[in-house]
Amino acid sequence: MIFHQPDNSVGNHSYNAVIYARGTDWEMHFHQNLELIYAISGNLHCNIGNKEEVLGTEDFALCLSNEIHSLHPDSDTVYWVGVFSEDFVPEFAAAVKGKVGEGSRFRCDGAMLPYLRQNLLREEAPDFYLLSSCLYAVCGMYLEQIPLTERHRNESSIMNFILDYIAENYRNRITLKTVADALGYDYFYFSRIFCSVFGMHFNDYLNTYRFNAAVSLLLKTNLPITQVALESGFQSIRTFNDVFRRKTGSAPAEYRKQKKRAEG
């Protein structure tokens, strides 16, 4: 079974990093945020986008947004995983949109690797600007070493196209049936597939996607609350406020004030 990780499908400079040891496996899963993997020692068997690769000591791999992947280490393997939202590296995200890598494994040699070990490849997050610079440096190495090709429908899973469709149309009035019809699937079959893979109903996922878009607009623009709601795809202010209160405990206007006060 392939499962969706909603906690790793949030934007707004979301970042977390963990060091795994002694046989910690991850079965097939996907999430919206990018995932950087580094083999500290031993061998890590990866399946990323249906491509099998083995990371040896000091190898890196990068999973692009919503790319299905699994990780299976040898019993003595130690590896680091950093999951980060695309807004840390927006130019890179734009460069790889709609594309897949012909592989995922690459190296960061020379002076870069000691620099990354000191500043990135640990569980404690560096400050924002240092983190962004490290992530851009690694993504740049990925682009230098991994050829990219356009993603075609017959080469991808249904999940990728569901997510692509939502990303392109979340501002519009869409439903599960809209997506099923657009992708040519029977509605009831499509509904079962969506719930089993995403672990939530379509409207919950769509509202989460719209919520993340709204947070970005609230923090990065001075648009009125009503306009933020409409540009994020919410069809009513009431729904927008309800979703926001469930997720943050605050109304949108108050959330914006709190965040701006915290930023000084």
Side-chain angles (χ1 to χ4, degrees):
M1 178 180 172
I2 300 168
F3 65 96
H4 172 233
Q5 290 185 331
D7 291 345
N8 286 329
S9 291
V10 294
N12 312 307
H13 298 115
S14 168
Y15 173 80
N16 65 80
V18 180
I19 293 174
Y20 295 102
R22 297 174 183 82
T24 303
D25 288 90
W26 286 99
E27 298 300 333
M28 286 290 190
H29 65 284
F30 67 97
H31 40 73
Q32 186 176 332
N33 292 355
L34 301 165
E35 181 170 324
L36 180 64
I37 304 157
Y38 172 66
I40 298 172
S41 62
N43 292 322
L44 179 61
H45 303 264
C46 305
N47 185 315
I48 301 174
N50 289 322
K51 301 178 183 73
E52 298 277 356
E53 296 195 86
V54 179
L55 304 190
T57 300
E58 298 186 347
D59 281 340
F60 288 81
L62 183 64
C63 301
L64 301 181
S65 179
N66 295 319
E67 195 163 35
I68 298 167
H69 57 285
S70 65
L71 307 175
H72 297 287
D74 290 347
S75 59
D76 59 347
T77 297
V78 179
Y79 65 103
W80 175 94
V81 173
V83 180
F84 57 99
S85 55
E86 293 181 331
D87 46 12
F88 279 107
V89 288
E91 288 84 0
F92 173 79
V96 299
K97 182 176 175 59
K99 296 181 172 64
V100 294
E102 292 186 5
S104 299
R105 181 170 60 90
F106 63 101
R107 305 275 297 186
C108 292
D109 294 323
M112 186 182 294
L113 185 56
Y115 177 79
L116 293 173
R117 282 200 198 110
Q118 178 179 351
N119 296 298
L120 179 68
L121 302 173
R122 51 197 175 98
E123 292 187 325
E124 301 81 12
D127 68 60
F128 174 83
Y129 294 107
L130 180 57
L131 177 57
S132 291
S133 68
C134 288
L135 294 174
Y136 259 122
V138 176
C139 289
M141 296 301 295
Y142 171 89
L143 288 177
E144 284 185 15
Q145 299 176 45
I146 305 296
L148 297 174
T149 57
E150 295 293 330
R151 189 173 69 220
H152 300 293
R153 180 160 185 173
N154 59 2
E155 295 175 356
S156 294
S157 70
I158 183 176
M159 281 73 72
N160 294 117
F161 286 94
I162 294 171
L163 295 164
D164 285 349
Y165 188 91
I166 291 172
E168 293 169 6
N169 295 279
Y170 72 93
R171 295 181 182 87
N172 303 324
R173 188 184 295 272
I174 59 173
T175 65
L176 185 64
K177 188 174 188 309
T178 306
V179 184
D181 290 345
L183 299 178
Y185 287 93
D186 173 77
Y187 170 79
F188 295 103
Y189 169 78
F190 190 76
S191 177
R192 290 196 300 273
I193 290 291
F194 190 95
C195 289
S196 66
V197 170
F198 286 79
M200 63 177 72
H201 294 295
F202 176 80
N203 283 342
D204 293 330
Y205 183 84
L206 181 60
N207 282 335
T208 297
Y209 197 102
R210 288 169 169 167
F211 165 80
N212 290 328
V215 168
S216 182
L217 290 175
L218 283 171
L219 301 184
K220 295 179 181 178
T221 75
N222 292 315
L223 292 174
I225 298 299
T226 300
Q227 191 172 349
V228 168
L230 295 175
E231 294 201 11
S232 302
F234 287 96
Q235 305 302 311
S236 75
I237 296 301
R238 179 176 179 179
T239 301
F240 178 53
N241 288 332
D242 287 347
V243 169
F244 226 90
R245 286 188 181 279
R246 285 201 306 270
K247 291 185 176 295
T248 69
S250 303
E254 181 59 29
Y255 179 86
R256 174 186 263 171
K257 290 178 184 176
Q258 291 170 354
K259 290 294 183 181
K260 292 197 172 180
R261 280 200 299 265
E263 291 172 0

